[in-house]
């Protein structure tokens, strides 16, 4: 039996009937081949997740009747990913995998050697929503507007520590940094661009009180590989990893 479709929809809902916009109606009707009477699950971070039944589905809109609440509202407390913008395809994949690996926010940054002009935040938002639907999260992580590394640090939250994936300079193995880490505190994982951080950037970061430089082994990983390796290690070392996935 194919699983009941999970759809992220905007707005706050807690019961009764929910109106579905034209895009959602189109997706349900023409892509998922659903119709009135079929079951769906509707969710977002501020409302939680509900089992629902489609009561109306036309070309321009749909209506779903909320049944039981399946999940309470809430947002993941995973790390932020602060990643230098990289080429479109690997960045799309990185966003999708970062959502699966529990990031709470994604912050694209521009560094000295970043070689992409612009980041399509709307496209990355859609990828984050789609990944959340697939991996059974209720809270697609927001994608921040790209800013320079300096601007990001100039407005950085005072309580959020940074694990800087440093391909050069002083660093400790990531696994050593994770041993005994306070996972309840706010964290960020930072990764450079394909061309790496500039020496001046690494020096500036090394001097930052909230930054711990970490190594990811003896090879030079591609930026997206490095980000995924670090996020996977973080998630698997954290108490969250002890939560079992769904029951059969
Ligand atoms: N082209 C550069 C390396 C860039 S790797 C060079 O040859 O020096 C892209 C990013 O991935 C780096 O900025 C760093 O954040 C991360 N990274 C890659 N390999 C790493 C490693 N072994 N340890 C820590 N971070 C690494």
């Amino acid at each position: 039996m194919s699983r009941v479709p999970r759809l992220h929809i905007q707005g706050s809902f807690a019961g009764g009937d929910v109106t579905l916009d034209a895009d959602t109606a189109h997706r349900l009707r023409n892509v998922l081949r659903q119709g009135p009477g079929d079951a769906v699950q509707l969710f977002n971070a501020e409302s939680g997740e509900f089992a629902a039944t489609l009561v109306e589905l036309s070309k321009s809109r749909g209506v779903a009747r909320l049944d039981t609440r399946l999940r309470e509202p809430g947002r993941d407390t995973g790390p932020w990913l602060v990643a230098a913008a990289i080429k479109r395809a690997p960045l799309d994949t990185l966003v999708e995998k970062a959502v699966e690996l529990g990031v709470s926010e994604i912050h694209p940054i521009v560094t000295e050697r970043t070689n992409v002009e612009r980041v399509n935040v709307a496209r990355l938002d859609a990828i984050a929503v789609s990944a959340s639907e697939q991996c059974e999260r209720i809270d697609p992580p927001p994608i921040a507007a790209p800013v320079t590394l300096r601007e990001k640090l100039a407005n950085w939250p005072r309580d959020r520590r940074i694990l800087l994936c440093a391909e050069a300079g002083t660093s400790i193995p990531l696994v050593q940094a994770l041993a005994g880490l306070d996972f309840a505190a706010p964290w960020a994982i930072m990764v450079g661009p394909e061309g790496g951080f500039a020496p001046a950037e690494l020096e500036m970061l090394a001097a930052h009180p909230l930054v711990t430089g970490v190594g990811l082994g003896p090879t030079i990983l591609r930026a997206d590989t490095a980000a995924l390796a670090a996020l996977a290690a973080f998630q698997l070392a954290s108490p969250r990893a002890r939560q079992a996935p769904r029951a059969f």
Side-chain angles (χ1 to χ4, degrees):
M1 177 197 84
S2 67
R3 285 209 159 269
V4 173
R6 293 186 72 241
L7 292 118
H8 178 264
I9 59 170
Q10 301 294 346
S12 174
F13 46 86
D17 288 0
V18 173
T19 302
L20 307 173
D21 65 19
D23 286 349
T24 306
H26 166 76
R27 192 167 151 219
L28 279 164
R29 197 159 166 261
N30 304 332
V31 176
L32 300 171
R33 298 266 179 246
Q34 304 287 306
D38 284 339
V40 291
Q41 290 174 204
L42 305 178
F43 69 89
N44 61 40
E46 53 272 23
S47 308
E49 181 164 3
F50 283 83
T53 306
L54 291 173
V55 292
E56 183 190 320
L57 196 54
S58 66
K59 202 171 169 55
S60 58
R61 77 182 205 126
V63 176
R65 183 151 301 153
L66 298 184
D67 302 325
T68 47
R69 172 187 282 284
L70 302 173
R71 307 259 295 268
E72 292 299 320
R75 282 203 172 277
D76 209 323
T77 57
W80 288 4
L81 171 63
V82 182
I86 55 176
K87 290 187 185 65
R88 171 177 171 153
L91 183 58
D92 287 1
T93 304
L94 173 54
V95 167
E96 180 181 69
K97 302 311 163 201
V99 171
E100 294 171 56
L101 289 169
V103 296
S104 54
E105 294 188 13
I106 296 177
H107 293 255
I109 55 171
V110 177
T111 67
E112 198 176 307
R113 296 177 185 170
T114 300
N115 61 5
V116 292
E117 273 65 48
R118 56 184 296 281
V119 170
N120 185 331
V121 172
R123 193 182 75 248
L124 299 182
D125 269 332
I127 290 169
V129 166
S130 176
S132 301
E133 290 174 342
Q134 176 276 323
C135 74
E136 302 192 357
R137 285 183 64 165
I138 61 167
D139 58 334
I143 314 282
V147 294
T148 66
L149 170 61
R150 288 189 188 285
E151 281 170 86
K152 189 54 75 177
L153 291 178
N155 302 301
W156 189 260
R158 298 166 49 81
D159 61 347
R160 188 170 290 271
R161 305 270 308 277
I162 299 171
L163 294 171
L164 167 71
C165 297
E167 74 274 21
T170 53
S171 65
I172 58 172
L174 174 58
V175 172
Q176 183 182 322
L178 293 174
L181 192 103
D182 174 9
F183 286 96
W187 285 97
I189 289 170
M190 183 181 285
V191 178
E194 293 97 338
F197 285 109
E201 287 170 334
L202 284 173
E203 278 163 36
M204 181 253 295
L205 287 163
H208 195 290
L210 291 173
V211 171
T212 303
V214 292
L216 301 177
T219 50
I220 293 295
L221 309 173
R222 282 185 183 277
D224 45 330
T225 313
L228 293 183
L231 286 171
F234 190 99
Q235 161 118 306
L236 295 175
S238 75
R240 297 158 36 90
R242 296 181 199 114
Q243 292 168 23
R246 71 162 86 107
F248 285 104

